[in-house]
Amino acid sequence: MEVLNLGILAHVDAGKTSLTERLLYAAGVIDAVGSVDDGSTQTDSLALERQRGITIKSAVAAFRIGELNVNLIDTPGHPDFIAEVERALSMLDGAVLVISAVEGVQAQTRILMRTLQRLRIPTLIFVNKLDRSGAQYDGVLRQIAARLTPAIVPMGEAVDLGTPEAAFKPIVQDDTLLDVLAEHDDDLLQRYVDGAPLALPDVLARQTRQAAVHPVYFGSAITGAGTDALTDGIRDLLPRAGTADTPLDGTVFKVERGPAGEKIAYVRLFSGTASVRDRVRYGDTEGKITALETYGATLTAGQIGKLWGLPDIRIGDTISDLRNKTVTQRRIVSAKFAPPTLETVVTPRRLSDRGNLQVALTQLAEQDPLINLRQDDLRQETSVSLYGEVQKEVIETTLATEYGIAVDFRETTTICIERIAGAGEAVEFNKKDANPFLATVGLRVEPAPLDAGVTFELEVELGSMPYAFIKAVEETVRETLQQGLHGWQIPDAHVVMTHSGYSARQSHAHAVFDKSMSSTAGDFRFLTPLVLMTALQQAGTTVHEPLHRFRLEIPTDTTRAVLATLARLRAIPQVPALAAETSTLEGEIPAAAVYQLEQQLPALTRGEGVLESSFERYQTVTGRPPNRPRTDHDPLNRRDYLLHVQRRV
């Protein structure tokens, strides 16, 4: 049986969840169409999703169109959850992009379409809300051609717009179809000139599957108008899942927790089969599948399924056969996903919930690896990274409903990073007056190329001391670089161990190990931060703040006011692309100012301005660099650090 993994994407409130409900209802999967307003939809399971009418987490449902099995992935539409969108897209064979017939093409619509085009995912366009007052047909088609792509094929005509009787008549004009298809097929144009048979439906299907053209349907998910034609398009125009009989190979694109706290992994299988009681390899470990949810008892190539029984599973892990050692780890989360640039402190309203809050946040971070936690043991606080302010509501609601923990948030701050400015070196020798630890550690720090990460190299002989001590130094170096001289992470650094030494194991006459005379791994873990920070102070670091790339579409007569606001927000705009009615501004803006721009834009542009922004790069902070409170025992303050680690406080 053939399989299609289909994604539904849209700007907020365009109606994609309603369309999902309609497709499931038409296929007989559910008995009634759920309502977003009533909170009765199949795929919006989080309380905040039902409350706000937006989709936050990727949900998976399934239905059939004849002999075709469709795994329907209802992806988020809010900009704060673009990471969820991209993870889901990496699993898709085809997509439906939903646009409102009333609001037309919106900011997030353009972002989603560009992502679909970049990944070359075959896409149908469904213009929803045809029954709503103010619905347009020609106007929306012009917007799609101008703002998304000119390679569109209207698959019919809309009648009785803005009324409950609004309908879609699936009639495609051959002349219109030929004009679009011939743009991408010289052979088709030659056959037309020669008077040969054209087989336009077959050419349309082929070009749609190549993501070269995009059929456009109109309708209403609420009344069901046009959804039958869309279903036919899904069946006839989109590609089937690629399958192979080679050994088991699948990728985890979502992880959630069940009622008993067990992990449930959503897996797209690219080859092979998986069944209950199969032992599989995932990540760096292996386990046995205890339960599986999909069509039938076996998960086959091309399908999406839910697996139980793999307690250490993480998003991005590859599922493979124990005998298959050739499958490489396929990581979904990679450099193409922008890092979160905001951070906030989460505190429980009840002090008794402090421990439970840490466990709950850790589980939320497991479900989304782009959420980073930073634990401050000194102040007993936890910071969580964010993409936007809406994520605060998501975290708050999830903690309250699923864990029974009420929380508060502090003011959102920007996440900066530090980069090493030059080279620095330091060493502390064993049994010297200033060094209270039985260890010798010498380190040299140097700048590293962008995105090179932290590298650790030995200039001492590997056998100069036990490997466990060298490993303790390396691990502590990586941990210490999470907080540089100003408290920010140093993501790229080259660290060389230049000196090493230890006190050999000593025992009393009765063969009892004497820790006071013998080096332990703890000596190296305690000494390394002091040496590393001394070397960093010699090298120096600079603080860098995140910059977003922005694109603004604004009424031309508001350009001067918008440019003045951008200047106040420290944005760096390029030369405006001025037009008679609507002009475009592009450039870079500090991440800390994006939210302010979003708040001010409606008043500046009479509500007509559209802003798109995404992380671009880091830029050196001018003036006095910002400091972040340290969460360690502050090796920059030697006296207090030694008091803490030697437990004298």
Side-chain angles (χ1 to χ4, degrees):
M1 185 172 289
E2 294 184 306
V3 177
L4 167 64
N5 295 304
L6 178 70
I8 295 185
L9 303 95
H11 186 97
V12 177
D13 291 334
K16 61 184 173 56
T17 301
S18 299
L19 179 60
T20 300
E21 295 289 311
R22 174 59 61 180
L23 293 175
L24 294 175
Y25 173 74
V29 176
I30 56 178
D31 296 329
V33 177
S35 168
V36 174
D37 294 335
D38 296 338
S40 58
T41 56
Q42 176 82 4
T43 50
D44 283 347
S45 56
L46 294 179
L48 185 62
E49 292 180 316
R50 295 191 295 268
Q51 173 187 336
R52 292 185 57 131
I54 63 173
T55 303
I56 295 166
K57 293 290 184 183
S58 302
V60 180
F63 65 96
R64 290 187 181 182
I65 305 175
E67 294 300 310
L68 176 65
N69 283 344
V70 180
N71 292 315
L72 190 59
I73 301 175
D74 183 33
T75 58
H78 197 282
D80 284 2
F81 308 103
I82 192 65
E84 281 278 343
V85 174
E86 296 225 14
R87 280 206 301 273
L89 291 185
S90 66
M91 299 294 103
L92 299 183
D93 303 304
V96 174
L97 180 63
V98 183
I99 299 172
S100 169
V102 179
E103 288 83 10
V105 175
Q106 296 170 278
Q108 186 68 1
T109 314
R110 295 199 292 270
I111 295 173
L112 292 171
M113 188 63 179
R114 281 203 298 270
T115 305
L116 289 165
Q117 290 174 321
R118 175 171 56 82
L119 298 176
R120 296 199 62 79
I121 295 175
T123 303
L124 309 180
I125 297 174
F126 183 74
V127 182
N128 190 30
K129 301 185 180 182
L130 206 60
D131 58 322
R132 296 286 183 88
S133 176
Q136 306 174 64
Y137 177 79
D138 292 332
V140 173
L141 283 177
R142 286 194 296 270
Q143 284 187 29
I144 295 172
R147 300 183 182 181
L148 299 183
T149 172
I152 58 173
V153 178
M155 299 300 290
E157 299 176 352
V159 296
D160 298 327
L161 278 73
T163 70
E165 292 75 32
F168 180 70
K169 296 181 178 180
I171 303 171
V172 183
Q173 302 293 333
D174 284 350
D175 291 346
T176 302
L177 188 57
L178 179 61
D179 288 343
V180 177
L181 298 181
E183 287 288 330
H184 308 275
D185 191 336
D186 293 337
D187 291 339
L188 176 64
L189 185 59
Q190 187 61 50
R191 290 199 302 274
Y192 172 73
V193 173
D194 296 341
L198 300 180
L200 292 180
D202 294 338
V203 178
L204 174 62
R206 184 178 72 251
Q207 292 195 14
T208 302
R209 290 167 185 161
Q210 295 170 345
V213 299
H214 305 282
V216 181
Y217 299 85
F218 282 73
S220 169
I222 298 298
T223 66
T227 54
D228 288 343
L230 176 64
T231 300
D232 292 341
I234 293 171
R235 179 194 62 209
D236 299 334
L237 301 178
L238 292 179
R240 307 298 188 256
T243 62
D245 295 328
T246 51
L248 178 65
D249 179 17
T251 297
V252 178
F253 68 94
K254 178 182 176 182
V255 174
E256 65 183 16
R257 294 270 178 174
E262 75 280 12
K263 280 189 178 181
I264 305 171
Y266 286 74
V267 178
R268 162 71 192 268
L269 212 60
F270 293 93
S271 65
T273 60
S275 304
V276 176
R277 293 188 293 277
D278 282 354
R279 291 197 66 82
V280 297
R281 178 183 292 110
Y282 64 96
D284 299 323
T285 185
E286 60 182 64
K288 184 172 71 174
I289 299 173
T290 59
L292 184 151
E293 183 178 306
T294 185
Y295 280 111
T298 301
L299 179 63
T300 59
Q303 287 188 323
I304 286 177
K306 296 160 68 174
L307 304 182
W308 284 257
L310 308 176
D312 299 319
I313 198 77
R314 291 178 57 84
I315 291 175
D317 279 348
T318 293
I319 303 288
S320 63
D321 193 298
L322 293 180
R323 297 165 296 178
N324 181 17
K325 298 182 180 180
T326 61
V327 175
T328 57
Q329 193 75 347
R330 183 189 295 105
R331 291 286 176 183
I332 299 176
V333 180
S334 63
K336 72 179 181 181
F337 294 112
T341 55
L342 303 175
E343 185 178 57
T344 185
V345 173
V346 188
T347 58
R349 293 177 186 170
R350 298 185 299 269
L351 290 179
S352 58
D353 283 336
R354 184 174 289 164
N356 294 333
L357 175 61
Q358 177 64 21
V359 173
L361 288 173
T362 300
Q363 292 185 0
L364 293 182
E366 288 175 351
Q367 297 174 26
D368 188 345
L370 295 181
I371 291 180
N372 300 315
L373 301 180
R374 194 170 63 91
Q375 182 66 26
D376 186 344
D377 293 328
L378 299 180
R379 301 171 185 82
Q380 296 294 299
E381 295 175 347
T382 302
S383 298
V384 60
S385 59
L386 303 169
Y387 281 91
E389 293 292 324
V390 173
Q391 280 185 291
K392 283 185 179 179
E393 297 182 57
V394 176
I395 294 171
E396 181 179 13
T397 303
T398 303
L399 291 173
T401 57
E402 297 186 13
Y403 298 93
I405 302 173
V407 297
D408 293 313
F409 296 93
R410 302 229 183 112
E411 182 182 0
T412 302
T413 57
T414 304
I415 302 175
C416 298
I417 64 169
E418 289 184 54
R419 298 200 186 281
I420 299 175
E425 191 168 354
V427 61
E428 296 211 18
F429 292 97
N430 186 9
K431 298 181 180 178
K432 296 292 184 180
D433 291 341
N435 178 9
F437 305 109
L438 296 177
T440 294
V441 175
L443 298 172
R444 184 172 68 250
V445 295
E446 301 168 346
L450 190 67
D451 298 326
V454 176
T455 56
F456 185 78
E457 181 184 345
L458 295 180
E459 276 188 2
V460 299
E461 293 185 8
L462 187 59
S464 62
M465 67 180 185
Y467 177 71
F469 295 165
I470 295 176
K471 191 66 176 175
V473 173
E474 179 180 358
E475 291 174 352
T476 307
V477 163
R478 296 182 184 278
E479 180 182 342
T480 304
L481 288 177
Q482 295 297 312
Q483 300 179 80
L485 300 179
H486 298 279
W488 306 102
Q489 181 187 8
I490 301 178
D492 306 307
H494 181 59
V495 182
V496 181
M497 189 172 183
T498 58
H499 296 76
S500 66
Y502 72 107
S503 295
R505 182 183 179 92
Q506 302 287 328
S507 300
H508 293 292
H510 44 76
V512 176
F513 173 59
D514 188 350
K515 184 178 179 182
S516 66
M517 297 188 298
S518 309
S519 296
T520 66
D523 287 304
F524 290 89
R525 293 187 185 279
F526 290 145
L527 180 58
T528 297
L530 290 173
V531 177
L532 183 59
M533 282 299 167
T534 302
L536 278 176
Q537 285 178 311
Q538 187 181 113
T541 64
T542 54
V543 177
H544 296 246
E545 65 177 338
L547 285 184
H548 279 218
R549 164 69 56 178
F550 73 86
R551 186 176 190 274
L552 276 169
E553 288 187 3
I554 57 174
T556 299
D557 62 339
T558 66
T559 301
R560 180 174 296 180
V562 172
L563 285 173
T565 299
L566 290 174
R568 287 194 297 270
L569 296 176
R570 297 190 295 124
I572 307 172
Q574 299 173 354
V575 177
L578 300 176
E581 296 183 359
T582 302
S583 295
T584 302
L585 292 174
E586 295 188 24
E588 294 179 332
I589 184 172
V594 172
Y595 183 66
Q596 299 177 55
L597 181 58
E598 290 174 344
Q599 298 297 104
Q600 297 178 32
L601 190 62
L604 291 169
T605 62
R606 303 186 296 275
E608 299 178 29
V610 175
L611 169 66
E612 301 173 35
S613 74
S614 60
F615 172 80
E616 178 73 9
R617 62 184 179 90
Y618 287 99
Q619 173 182 264
T620 306
V621 173
T622 57
R624 186 175 181 179
N627 291 316
R628 179 162 66 172
R630 303 191 70 88
T631 60
D632 56 13
H633 293 303
D634 193 5
L636 290 170
N637 186 329
R638 186 183 185 93
R639 177 180 176 278
D640 287 351
Y641 175 82
L642 292 175
L643 287 173
H644 278 292
V645 299
Q646 293 178 311
R647 295 181 172 86
R648 293 177 182 170
V649 173

